[in-house]
Amino acid sequence: MSTRVNNMDSATKEDYKPQDGPIEIKNRHIAEMDEDVLYHIALGTRSHDLKDMFRDIKFVCFGGSPSRMKKFAFFMVDQLKFKLPAGQTLEDIAHGSDRYVLYKVGPVLSVSHGMGIPSLSIIFHEIVKLLHHAGSSGVTFFRIGTSGGLGMVPGSVVITDEAVDGILRPYMELATMGMMIHLPSFLDQDIVQELYSLAEKNDHFQTIVGKTMCTHDFYEGQARLDGAFCDYTKEDKMMFLRRIHEKGVRNIEMESLCFASYCHRANIRGAVICVALLDRLEGDQISTPHDIMEDWQSRPQILVARYIRKKLGIH
Ligand code: R2B
Ligand code: URA
C-alpha cells in the first residue's frame, strides 16, 4: 500500500482559477461505453435525450434535503420569473430513483445530495457526467446547506473560502486502488468575493466569509457532547473548538471538502454557502423551532438567487 498525492497542479487557493469551458470528463473509459446509466438519478444516455433535456444548464444548486431542494426550485421559478407551461408544475426528473431529487428551472438545476461525503460524492459524479453528456458549458455549482457556526449569531450565513477536513487539512483523502490519494479543496476566490458583495446592508441576517471544517461524523467528528459515545470532556471540546476558531474555521458541516475538491478536480467554479443553525461555542443541540429554522435555511438560497439573477441580467 502506498500514499499517492495527486492533482496538486494549483499550489495555493489564490492561483486556482476554474475555466468557463464545456464540462469535461477526466475518465477515458466513459467515451468507450455504449451507454452510460446514471443509476441514482434514473437517467441514461440511451434512454434519454440528455442534450435536449439539460444542454442549457448554467447553474447547479446542491443541498442536503430533498424537500428543501424542491422548495428551492419553486423559489427559483419566482426569482427567475420563469413561466411554467400552462397547467404544469415542476416534476422531480429523478423520480425513477428514490435516492435523490432533481428539478430543472430554465438554466438552473436543483439537486439533493443527502448527508455526508459518500452521498454527495455519488450525485456529484452523476451530475458531472450528465452535464458532460448534455454538452453543457460555463456551469457554476453551489452547495447551499446547513452547518454549526463558531462564534456567531445562529441564523448567520457563512461563505466558505477554504474547506478543511476534521484535522484542518485542505484536501480530501480518497482511498482508491489500495492507495490514499489527496485531492486539494481549493475554491474559486472570485466567486467567494462576488457572493459576499451580494450580501446587503439591509439583510436581516449577517453574512461572513471563513473556513469550513468538513467532518465524517455529526457527533464525535464535530466534538459534540450529546452523541451515544463520547470519550472527551467538556473542557477538551471547548479547547478544540476555540483552537479551530482561532485558525479561521467559522462553521462545521459534512460535505464541503468533497464538493470543493471535486469542483477543483473537474475544473468547475463552485461555492459553498451554509447557514449556521447554532453557535457551537454555546452548545450542541439543535432545538430552534421548525418555522425559524425554515426561514434560516432560505438565507443561503437568497444569496445564490441574487448571484444567478445578476449573471442572467434579471433585475
Ligand atoms: C449539515 O447538516 C447535516 C447534518 O445534520 C449534514 O448534511 C450537514 O453537512
Ligand atoms: N450540520 C452539521 O453538520 N453540524 C451542525 O452542527 C449543524 C448542522
Side-chain angles (χ1 to χ4, degrees):
M1 299 278 177
S2 64
T3 298
R4 184 159 62 107
V5 178
N6 82 343
N7 204 24
M8 293 301 228
D9 34 342
S10 28
T12 67
K13 67 178 177 188
E14 284 75 23
D15 72 7
Y16 165 55
K17 288 277 162 280
Q19 303 299 311
D20 255 341
I23 302 254
E24 279 169 17
I25 294 274
K26 296 185 172 171
N27 174 5
R28 65 194 153 79
H29 303 293
I30 297 288
E32 290 163 9
M33 289 166 25
D34 288 340
E35 179 182 12
D36 189 9
V37 176
L38 306 172
Y39 165 63
H40 300 87
I41 46 177
L43 294 170
T45 50
R46 277 187 179 228
S47 50
H48 297 82
D49 184 346
L50 299 179
K51 280 196 167 52
D52 183 55
M53 293 170 78
F54 297 106
R55 190 182 204 141
D56 60 337
I57 291 298
K58 296 290 175 203
F59 307 96
V60 183
C61 302
F62 293 86
S65 128
S67 65
R68 186 163 18 100
M69 296 323 287
K70 181 175 181 178
K71 265 180 92 174
F72 176 72
F74 280 98
F75 176 59
M76 289 313 296
V77 168
D78 175 60
Q79 291 288 302
L80 304 186
K81 303 184 177 73
F82 186 76
K83 295 266 173 300
L84 285 164
Q88 278 191 25
T89 186
L90 289 179
E91 296 289 345
D92 170 15
I93 303 171
H95 61 86
S97 146
D98 63 358
R99 297 294 187 179
Y100 302 95
V101 298
L102 187 65
Y103 294 92
K104 182 176 184 300
V105 182
V108 179
L109 264 189
S110 178
V111 192
S112 67
H113 62 56
M115 283 193 285
I117 285 178
S119 181
L120 176 106
S121 172
I122 293 170
I123 188 71
F124 199 105
H125 273 270
E126 293 187 12
I127 292 294
V128 169
K129 292 198 296 169
L130 172 77
L131 296 179
H132 169 73
H133 294 311
S136 313
S137 67
V139 184
T140 303
F141 281 15
F142 301 93
R143 160 163 149 71
I144 43 182
T146 59
S147 63
L150 287 174
M152 69 187 63
V153 183
S156 300
V157 172
V158 181
I159 303 169
T160 305
D161 65 356
E162 186 171 40
V164 295
D165 74 359
I167 53 173
L168 293 169
R169 300 178 302 179
Y171 53 85
M172 181 171 81
E173 277 192 335
L174 181 69
T176 179
M177 306 294 296
M179 292 180 290
M180 199 57 97
I181 61 169
H182 292 177
L183 303 169
S185 51
F186 301 146
L187 284 158
D188 176 29
Q189 297 301 297
D190 292 344
I191 194 172
V192 170
Q193 289 312 319
E194 194 165 354
L195 281 164
Y196 186 55
S197 75
L198 294 172
E200 293 169 5
K201 264 201 224 94
N202 296 338
D203 281 342
H204 54 299
F205 56 90
Q206 182 195 18
T207 299
I208 61 161
V209 172
K211 281 188 199 172
T212 298
M213 174 174 275
C214 176
T215 66
H216 292 297
D217 170 58
F218 181 82
Y219 289 99
E220 292 169 282
Q222 299 188 5
R224 280 187 153 79
L225 301 173
D226 60 345
F229 312 105
C230 184
D231 300 328
Y232 41 85
T233 64
K234 182 169 186 193
E235 289 67 41
D236 295 335
K237 164 195 157 177
M238 293 311 294
M239 230 156 57
F240 171 71
L241 293 182
R242 287 202 188 98
R243 184 163 64 82
I244 63 172
H245 183 253
E246 273 164 25
K247 294 204 179 279
V249 174
R250 291 294 173 265
N251 63 341
I252 312 178
E253 47 75 272
M254 301 179 65
E255 294 84 16
S256 59
L257 192 71
C258 181
F259 179 86
S261 57
Y262 281 2
C263 283
H264 177 262
R265 198 175 181 194
N267 206 11
I268 292 171
R269 177 173 304 107
V272 179
I273 309 101
C274 290
V275 70
L277 298 182
L278 75 170
D279 182 357
R280 290 300 318 290
L281 298 176
E282 300 295 333
D284 295 335
Q285 296 248 303
I286 302 176
S287 51
T288 303
H290 184 74
D291 53 329
I292 297 179
M293 211 112 80
E294 285 274 299
D295 173 54
W296 289 354
Q297 291 185 23
S298 69
R299 295 176 177 181
Q301 303 180 6
I302 292 171
L303 280 187
V304 168
R306 282 180 195 155
Y307 181 93
I308 293 176
R309 282 206 322 258
K310 183 178 163 198
K311 295 294 165 190
L312 296 177
I314 299 172
H315 301 294

